[in-house]
């Protein structure tokens, strides 16, 4: 794939090649000079390096022209180089004038401020809802629970009853799983309710269609009752997971559920009742559980999480070891077969809590929303351990016991998504804010909206400028690859640093970063350092081998920079034959028709001047000479610039 963004200024060399491929040996000959492009002077400080900016990197593209190049192609190449430089300069001007890196880039002031303001708004909204004088009527809550799922499937699959039915079949299994989850939940087991608690509010239409929870044990009781027996006898025993067991296992589980003693003991253990863990409890006699609370929590976690000692689980209560497996993740499910997937698998899949499982049940995006259907199932359905979920908090009618709390999600993204999800159900599940709080909420929301609008607009402008760089660089790339235009097309890099009175320059060819040319200049004496010129780790040049430059000089008055590269072993620094296309026919982003032998024993001498374009873009302009035995045999125009945006 072509790396257009790294395409910089063109170093254009016109080379005369002999029939044998080696450049003709030069004798004292005159060279027609190429005029240096005119640029205004901006500052005297060479490379514009300061204590706060100790290094600058330049990028460019070296195009070694074919003598037979068409003048029109050459004009196109030079224009593309000018356009590319202009695009880079305009981008740098935009980023500097807008403090883009500080304000608008990823992790910048705007992004952090927006995220902080969203969290603050979510906190304010939660507090405002707690103090609102209004409540959502029970009838409204029930209507929302009864209608949302069908409406949601219609949103996802408009008019496609087959897709809706297929999705509902999977969600039905999810609803069955939520029954198993609530039936083994400690908070549920230990409390009394005035109405049968729902395992998941949005599943109520499914439960009704399947005839679940119809027995007397599930009837309302304003005075309060425990619905543990209802959840098992009228819920668990009707689910697809229960029916997937063989007849013998079904008979044993049914007998346990229908036996008040066994069912009561199971409820007491899940509800962490003291009587279940002290002598003469059957559990104590079996020596599976100790008398302290730590062991009780440990046992309860075994039932829910099924770790390696799952042999102690519900078998300790009922003697039915088959119940132990239903609460474990399989993680290797290959299909939606109930015999292969556990209730936890289905919950993780529909609530989007496991990526591998979630792929088994893909859903379309919700129209015009960043919130997915699985986000909604997760937000309302996910129970963290024995804690309640959001559906429990909104729909369960507790008679006594500790009130339900707003769930806390481990996934930090739900701290952001929560308010958006709740806004989807505004006034359907959540009370309206008081007028004063609503005014504050709207003002804060508008502030966030204004910041986001500015943030997105600036980022779009930045992307537009970057696209100009891509387009202009692509044009130069296209011209350079035209027939008879160039013998070589290579991307070059130059990095310069000023640390502790030493000016260092590194030069290398893209894709040959392992070897770099290095030169050092003592700024106090203005002389090149020949002994002890080593790379500074702070410059972060990733070469493993450094070759000394033949010459390096910076004129203190004019700022002219001279840098010479000697081709003793051209191949190791990238001056060698490189194909234009791969064996599969893909075009490479650089090439050289010349071999290492064509460069051997010659040098490339740069004569450059540092300047600025638009007041911000660091640029080096000037000439480059191909030399042999001290004689200039070819000349080039050079334009490089800082490509760090």
């Amino acid at each position: 794939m072509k790396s257009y963004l790294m395409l910089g200024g063109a170093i254009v060399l016109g080379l005369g090649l002999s029939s044998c491929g080696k450049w003709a040996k030069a004798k004292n000959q005159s060279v027609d000079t190429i005029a240096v492009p005119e640029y205004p002077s901006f500052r005297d400080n060479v490379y514009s390096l300061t204590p706060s900016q100790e290094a600058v990197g330049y990028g460019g593209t070296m195009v070694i022209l074919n003598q037979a190049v068409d003048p029109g192609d050459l004009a196109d190449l030079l224009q593309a180089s000018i356009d590319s430089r202009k695009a880079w300069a305009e981008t740098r001007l935009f980023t500097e004038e807008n403090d883009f890196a500080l304000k608008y880039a990823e992790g910048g002031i705007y992004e952090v401020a927006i995220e902080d303001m969203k969290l603050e708004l979510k906190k304010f909204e939660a507090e405002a809802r707690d103090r609102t004088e209004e409540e959502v009527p029970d009838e409204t809550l029930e209507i929302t629970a009864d209608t949302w799922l069908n409406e949601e499937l219609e949103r996802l699959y408009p008019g496609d009853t087959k897709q809706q039915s297929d999705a509902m079949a999977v969600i039905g299994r999810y609803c069955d799983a939520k029954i198993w989850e609530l039936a083994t939940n400690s908070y549920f087991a230990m409390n009394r309710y005035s109405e049968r608690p729902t395992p998941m509010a949005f599943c109520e239409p499914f439960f009704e269609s399947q005839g679940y929870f119809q027995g007397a044990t599930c009837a309302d009781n304003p005075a309060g009752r425990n619905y543990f027996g209802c959840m098992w006898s009228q819920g668990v025993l009707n689910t697809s997971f229960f029916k997937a067991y063989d007849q013998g296992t079904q008979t044993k589980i049914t007998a346990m559920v229908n036996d008040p003693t066994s069912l009561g003991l199971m409820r007491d253990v899940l509800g962490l009742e003291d009587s279940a863990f002290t002598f003469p409890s059957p559990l104590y006699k079996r020596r599976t559980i100790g008398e302290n609370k730590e062991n009780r929590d440990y046992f309860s976690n075994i039932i829910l999480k099924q770790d390696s000692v799952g042999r102690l689980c519900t078998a300790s209560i009922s003697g039915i070891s088959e119940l132990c497996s239903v609460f474990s993740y399989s993680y290797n499910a290959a299909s939606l077969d109930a015999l292969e997937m556990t209730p936890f698998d289905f919950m993780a899949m529909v609530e989007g809590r496991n990526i591998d499982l979630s792929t088994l049940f893909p859903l379309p995006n919700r129209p015009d929303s960043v919130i997915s259907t699985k986000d909604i199932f997760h937000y309302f359905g996910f129970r963290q351990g024995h804690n309640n979920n959001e559906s429990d908090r909104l729909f369960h009618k507790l008679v006594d016991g500790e009130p339900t709390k707003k769930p806390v999600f481990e996934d930090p993204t739900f701290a952001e998504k929560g308010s958006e999800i709740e806004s989807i159900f505004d006034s359907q599940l959540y009370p309206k804010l008081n007028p004063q709080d609503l005014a504050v909420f709207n003002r804060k929301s508008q502030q966030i909206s204004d910041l986001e609008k500015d943030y997105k607009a600036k980022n779009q402008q930045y992307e537009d400028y970057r696209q100009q760089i891509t387009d202009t660089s692509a044009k130069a790339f296209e011209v350079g690859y035209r027939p008879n235009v160039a013998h070589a097309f290579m991307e070059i890099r130059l990095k310069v640093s000023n640390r502790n009175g030493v000016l260092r320059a590194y030069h290398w060819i893209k894709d040959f970063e392992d070897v770099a040319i290095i030169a050092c200049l003592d700024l106090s004496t203005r002389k090149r350092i020949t002994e002890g010129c080593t790379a500074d780790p702070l410059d972060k040049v990733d070469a493993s081998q450094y070759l000394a430059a033949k010459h390096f000089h910076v004129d203190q008055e004019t700022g002219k920079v001279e840098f010479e590269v000697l081709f003793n072993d051209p191949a190791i620094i990238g001056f060698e034959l490189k194909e234009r296309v791969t064996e599969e026919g893909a075009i490479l982003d650089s090439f050289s028709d010349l071999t290492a032998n064509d460069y051997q024993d010659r040098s490339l001498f740069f004569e450059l001047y540092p300047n600025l374009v638009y007041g911000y873009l660091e640029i080096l302009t000037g000439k480059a000479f191909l030399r042999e035995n001290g004689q200039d045999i070819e000349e080039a125009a050079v334009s490089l610039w800082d490509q760090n945006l």
Side-chain angles (χ1 to χ4, degrees), residues 260 294 363 414 568:
E294 180 181 352
L363 289 173
F414 272 83
N568 285 330

Side-chain angles (χ1 to χ4, degrees), residues 536-554:
D536 189 324
L538 294 176
D539 292 335
K540 297 180 180 180
V541 177
D542 296 328
S544 61
Q545 182 180 359
Y546 294 91
L547 305 177
K550 181 180 179 182
H551 173 72
F552 184 39
H553 175 70
V554 179

Side-chain angles (χ1 to χ4, degrees), residues 71-249:
D73 290 335
L74 180 58
D76 288 345
L77 186 62
L78 294 176
Q79 186 60 50
S81 178
I82 293 171
D83 292 342
S84 184
R85 178 170 61 245
K86 180 182 177 183
W88 278 96
E90 289 177 344
T91 305
R92 176 57 60 81
L93 178 65
F94 170 79
T95 58
E96 295 292 338
E97 289 189 341
N98 289 281
D99 289 330
F100 187 86
L102 178 65
K103 293 181 178 179
Y104 301 102
E106 183 177 356
I109 292 175
Y110 268 58
E111 184 178 76
V112 172
I114 289 170
E115 294 306 310
D116 288 346
M117 290 173 70
K118 284 183 175 180
L119 290 175
E120 181 186 346
L121 182 62
K122 178 178 174 62
K123 180 180 179 181
F124 172 81
E125 183 183 14
E127 293 172 349
R129 290 195 187 280
D130 287 341
R131 62 175 169 262
T132 184
E133 298 173 359
E134 295 188 24
E135 290 186 2
V136 179
D138 289 347
E139 182 181 357
T140 302
L141 291 174
E142 292 174 5
I143 291 174
T144 302
D146 289 343
T147 60
W148 177 79
L149 184 53
N150 286 333
E151 292 174 352
E152 182 74 356
L153 293 178
E154 178 62 30
R155 275 188 288 270
L156 299 181
Y157 305 104
D160 192 336
T161 56
K162 173 65 166 59
Q163 290 272 34
Q164 294 177 26
S165 177
D166 291 345
M168 190 63 237
V170 177
I171 294 172
R173 301 276 286 286
Y174 164 79
C175 293
D176 277 354
K178 300 305 284 186
I179 293 175
W180 281 88
E181 181 186 42
L182 188 61
T184 56
N185 181 273
S186 287
Y187 184 86
F188 164 72
M190 69 175 66
N191 284 312
R192 297 189 306 142
Y193 305 83
S194 60
E195 298 176 3
R196 188 263 303 165
T198 177
M200 169 59 166
F202 298 143
C203 290
E204 283 301 313
F206 171 78
F207 298 148
E208 185 176 355
S209 70
Q210 300 300 305
Y212 295 176
F213 308 119
Q214 299 300 311
T217 56
C218 297
D220 294 348
N221 188 330
R225 71 190 307 176
N226 184 282
Y227 284 86
F228 188 78
C230 160
M231 197 58 55
W232 277 89
S233 64
Q234 302 299 313
V236 170
L237 299 188
N238 288 321
T239 64
S240 56
F241 299 101
F242 173 78
K243 294 176 181 178
Y245 286 119
D246 60 66
Q247 189 59 50
T249 301

Side-chain angles (χ1 to χ4, degrees), residues 28 47 83 94 146 162 211 215 233 252 324 405 466 468 504 508 516 519 541 557 582 620 624 627 634:
N28 227 349
Y47 296 111
D83 292 342
F94 170 79
D146 289 343
K162 173 65 166 59
S233 64
K252 287 195 292 183
C324 295
K405 299 177 181 179
R466 296 283 293 183
Q468 290 183 33
R504 289 179 174 82
W508 68 93
V541 177
E557 294 183 3
T582 65
L620 294 173
R627 289 183 170 177
E634 297 291 349

